[in-house]
Amino acid sequence: MSHGIFITLEGIDGTGKSTHTRRLAAYLQKRGIATVVTREPGGTKVGEQIRRLLLNPKITRLSSLAELTLMYAAREQHLEEVVRPALARGHVVVSDRYNDASFAYQGYGRMLGVQTVQALDRIICGRTQPELTLLLDLDPQTALNRARKRNSRRRMKNTRFENHGLKFQKRVRTGYLALARQQPRRIKVIQADRPVAEIEAEIRKIVDALLARRHVRVRSKGVTRRR
Ligand code: TMP
């Protein structure tokens, strides 16, 4: 049984998700809430190696199903090493992406279909599902331009996913929005074409409401539920 709170941030590439993951974690930590900040694919030594492979633009012959299973291989390691132990300790886990990304990118983007992703998800994630997902939503062309600009600023190559272009990102976005329509209580859509501070304030409000709903007692060394 886990007692912590699992929060994920999602969105197509270039929506500012990583910035808001960091900011949210810092906000929670400042309030004395033990928070683990992590990401997918990655979050563990093995996961970061799988990430390098998955994002490498030089790898052009990876089947969609191979891509999906690698995502879940990294996820399994992440769950085992990081997420489940942290939740068991009563911590808040804030993850920059998790399983919704597989539904959106591989299920919709690569067109593998939701059922294929669901099959792996049942085995690997099981009941470890996010309690809250913040979906940063942005027009795909604007988002892709932002991602590419950021990469060139950091002298980084575009990833395999960014190289796939606008049509792909549009399918991924459609997928995310479909998921949000199906699970409106868990997935909150945040308009990402606004100033960072405004987005941050909205995220804080949503997370504060979750903490209150869960009757979270804020202590200096962790978060527990009262009931
Ligand atoms: P990012 O962490 O910089 O967003 O890069 C990760 C990339 O991997 C991003 O393009 C989305 C993609 N991805 C998937 O396709 N499926 C997944 O399940 C996850 C976690 C990420």
Side-chain angles (χ1 to χ4, degrees):
M1 268 300 276
S2 68
H3 298 280
I5 295 178
F6 191 14
I7 301 171
T8 60
L9 284 91
E10 299 277 0
I12 57 174
D13 299 285
T15 52
K17 202 174 33 57
S18 306
T19 301
H20 288 291
T21 302
R22 274 195 310 275
R23 285 181 175 229
L24 174 60
Y27 170 67
L28 293 170
Q29 280 158 353
K30 236 172 112 184
R31 293 181 61 195
I33 297 173
T35 305
V36 172
V37 56
T38 185
R39 72 169 175 182
E40 286 205 358
T44 65
K45 232 174 172 176
V46 164
E48 290 295 327
Q49 288 199 24
I50 297 175
R51 178 190 175 87
R52 274 197 288 282
L53 192 151
L54 281 163
L55 270 55
N56 187 349
K58 285 191 190 144
I59 293 181
T60 50
R61 288 195 59 192
L62 184 64
S63 85
S64 299
L65 201 51
E67 182 179 284
L68 175 69
T69 48
L70 283 169
M71 290 292 176
Y72 272 92
R75 183 159 302 134
E76 160 60 18
Q77 194 65 31
H78 189 217
L79 282 164
E80 185 68 19
E81 263 187 57
V82 179
V83 179
R84 289 193 181 117
L87 292 174
R89 285 195 301 271
H91 293 181
V92 173
V93 176
V94 180
S95 187
D96 184 345
R97 297 192 188 280
Y98 183 58
N99 58 353
D100 290 308
S102 295
F103 284 95
Y105 279 79
Q106 281 70 47
Y108 284 80
R110 301 289 193 213
M111 296 190 278
L112 282 176
V114 167
Q115 283 186 352
T116 302
V117 184
Q118 190 69 260
L120 273 176
D121 204 80
R122 280 202 193 99
I123 299 168
I124 307 290
C125 302
R127 291 173 60 184
T128 313
Q129 299 292 330
E131 220 164 307
L132 170 67
T133 297
L134 302 156
L135 172 58
L136 294 171
D137 185 50
L138 191 59
D139 157 64
Q141 182 68 73
T142 312
L144 199 55
N145 291 346
R146 268 170 44 167
R148 287 176 174 163
K149 249 191 220 155
R150 175 204 59 204
N151 294 342
S152 86
R153 215 174 37 242
R154 293 182 189 166
R155 295 175 203 281
M156 279 163 51
K157 291 209 175 81
N158 295 328
T159 68
R160 279 178 61 245
F161 297 96
E162 288 153 357
N163 274 347
H164 237 73
L166 188 59
K167 262 195 177 162
F168 176 74
Q169 296 288 337
K170 278 184 175 167
R171 286 200 298 276
V172 175
R173 186 201 195 194
T174 301
Y176 271 130
L177 293 176
L179 293 169
R181 273 195 305 277
Q182 288 153 14
Q183 303 174 68
R185 285 168 69 92
R186 172 175 70 86
I187 304 178
K188 304 294 176 202
V189 182
I190 316 255
Q191 299 310 324
D193 56 347
R194 294 178 296 160
V196 171
E198 226 177 86
I199 297 170
E200 187 178 26
E202 187 178 346
I203 288 176
R204 287 181 179 185
K205 217 168 137 187
I206 295 168
V207 171
D208 285 345
L210 169 64
L211 297 178
R213 265 202 316 280
R214 287 284 172 268
H215 305 284
V216 163
R217 235 176 337 159
V218 179
R219 302 187 313 196
S220 58
K221 277 196 186 159
V223 174
T224 49
R225 288 188 195 162
R226 232 180 247 150
R227 288 178 288 186

